[in-house]
Amino acid sequence: MKRVTTSLILITVLSLTSVYAQNDSTRTNGNSRPSSPVTLTLPNKDNSVRFVVIGDTGTGTHQQLELAQVMLRYRQVFPFEFVLMMGDNMYGSEKVGDYKQKFENIYKPLLDQKVKFYAALGNHDDSNQRFYEFFNMEGQEYYHFKKGNVSFYALNSNYMDKKQIDWLNEKLATDTVEWKIAFFHHPPYSSGGAHGSDTKLREVVEPIFVKHGMDVVFTGHEHFYERIKPQQGIYYFISGSGGKLRRGDVKEGSPLTAKAYDRDMSFMLIEVNDKQMHFQVVSRNGETVDSGIITGARQKNGASAQ
C-alpha cells in the first residue's frame, strides 16, 4: 500500500458558526466560570464523520464536569456522534459507584443523547474496563471499528505484545478505508516534562504506522494538549487534560511542538470530510486554543475507499 504524505494547512481561526449560550457561565457546586461563546471553526457538513477526542478523564471532579458541560454546549451546534477516550478513564477505585461518579454522572446528558464513548486503556485503568457497557470495547483490550470513510484502531499501549502487534499488522494490511486513525494512551512523541516521548513504544508502532499508511494518532497520558509536528508523514496529537491538568508542563522551545496548551483542561472536536480532517481544540471556558486542517489523498494501489 503506497503512502501519500499528507500536508498540514493551518487556517486563521475564522468563526463559521457562532452562537451564545443561554447562560453566561457554567455553574458547578455553587461556583461560576466565565464561558466564551460557542464559536465553531469546523465546516459542520451533514455527511462528515464528527467526533470528540478527550483523555485522562476519570477524576469525577467539578472541573471534569465543567469541561463536559462545554462539550454539551458545542454539541448543540456540532452534533458529534461519538467520543474517543485516550485512557486513564478511572483514577483510583473502580467500584460500581466510581463508574457512576467519574463517568456516568459527568457525561449523562451526552449519554442520554445516544453519544457513544470508545475507550482505550491507560496505565491507571483495570483491564476489566473492557467489559463496561458505556466504553464500547466489547470485551477487547484493543479493537477496530469504522465510521464512514474513517477506520479507527484502539490500542492497548500498556502491553504492546506480539499478539497485539500481529493483529494490528493483519488488520492494517487489508484496510482500504480512506482515513486511518489510531488512538491509545502513551504518546510516542511528547514535549512533556513529567513524561515525555515513549521511545520504546515508538520503536514498535511507528514502523507499522508508516508501512500501512496511518494518517493520524491521538494519545493522552500527558495532562495537556499538544499538536506534534508531522513525523514521517503522520500527525500526532496529545489530548490528556480531560480530567487533570499539569499546568506549565510543556517544554518551551521543544522542536516537536507545533502548538501546545497547558493552561487549562481541554478537548478536541474532529470532523473528517472526504479528503480533509478539520480539528478544533476547546478549553474549559469555551475558548478555541488551536484549529486547523489536515489534507491529503491516499493512493490505494487500485483499491477504492470503502
Side-chain angles (χ1 to χ4, degrees), residues 57-269:
T57 53
T59 60
T61 62
H62 73 273
Q63 290 93 342
Q64 182 190 357
L65 178 59
E66 286 175 341
L67 190 66
Q69 291 172 332
V70 178
M71 290 169 60
L72 182 63
R73 289 173 55 216
Y74 267 85
R75 192 171 191 271
Q76 294 173 6
V77 296
F78 181 71
F80 53 85
E81 178 188 356
F82 59 98
V83 177
L84 303 184
M85 302 176 69
M86 303 297 105
D88 282 1
N89 313 304
M90 291 282 151
Y91 288 101
S93 174
E94 296 192 16
K95 298 178 182 178
V96 174
D98 293 301
Y99 280 88
K100 193 169 186 64
Q101 175 194 350
K102 301 171 186 176
F103 179 78
E104 293 174 35
N105 291 349
I106 299 289
Y107 303 111
K108 186 180 188 303
L110 294 174
L111 294 169
D112 288 346
Q113 294 177 22
K114 307 303 180 184
V115 174
K116 296 187 73 171
F117 288 72
Y118 294 94
L121 294 174
N123 55 292
H124 286 277
D125 296 325
D126 191 300
S127 64
N128 285 327
Q129 287 184 19
R130 69 190 189 275
F131 301 113
Y132 179 52
E133 175 187 4
F134 293 124
F135 286 171
N136 291 289
M137 301 176 72
E138 298 185 351
Q140 305 299 320
E141 293 187 0
Y142 47 90
Y143 57 98
H144 167 257
F145 64 96
K146 296 178 184 177
K147 298 283 186 180
N149 64 336
V150 187
S151 202
F152 293 91
Y153 291 83
L155 304 180
N156 181 4
S157 58
N158 295 305
Y159 306 105
M160 192 60 65
D161 56 14
K162 184 179 185 302
K163 182 179 179 181
Q164 184 175 187
I165 293 169
D166 290 345
W167 171 87
L168 181 59
N169 268 308
E170 290 171 6
K171 294 291 290 187
L172 285 169
T174 58
D175 192 342
T176 59
V177 173
E178 185 86 28
W179 287 85
K180 297 176 184 178
I181 293 176
F183 66 100
F184 47 92
H185 189 60
H186 301 87
Y189 293 94
S190 168
S191 301
H195 297 298
S197 303
D198 192 326
T199 56
K200 290 184 178 179
L201 177 65
R202 185 202 307 169
E203 290 172 0
V204 174
V205 299
E206 188 171 55
I208 299 173
F209 293 164
V210 172
K211 177 181 178 180
H212 295 293
M214 189 67 69
D215 295 291
V216 179
V217 175
F218 295 111
T219 63
H221 195 47
E222 304 278 22
H223 299 158
F224 53 70
Y225 165 76
E226 185 176 17
R227 170 163 52 88
I228 302 294
K229 294 176 182 177
Q231 302 294 321
Q232 300 194 57
I234 301 172
Y235 296 90
Y236 292 85
F237 293 85
I238 298 172
S239 183
S241 55
K244 287 190 174 186
L245 175 68
R246 190 169 285 117
R247 190 183 300 273
D249 192 49
V250 178
K251 297 177 181 177
E252 292 188 12
S254 168
L256 293 175
T257 305
K259 179 75 174 182
Y261 181 73
D262 59 4
R263 297 194 301 274
D264 203 347
M265 296 160 61
S266 64
F267 61 90
M268 299 184 70
L269 297 168

Side-chain angles (χ1 to χ4, degrees), residues 36-37 70 74 261 263 281-290:
S36 299
V70 178
Y74 267 85
Y261 181 73
R263 297 194 301 274
V281 183
V282 181
S283 72
R284 188 162 50 114
N285 68 358
E287 177 188 2
T288 296
V289 297
D290 192 20

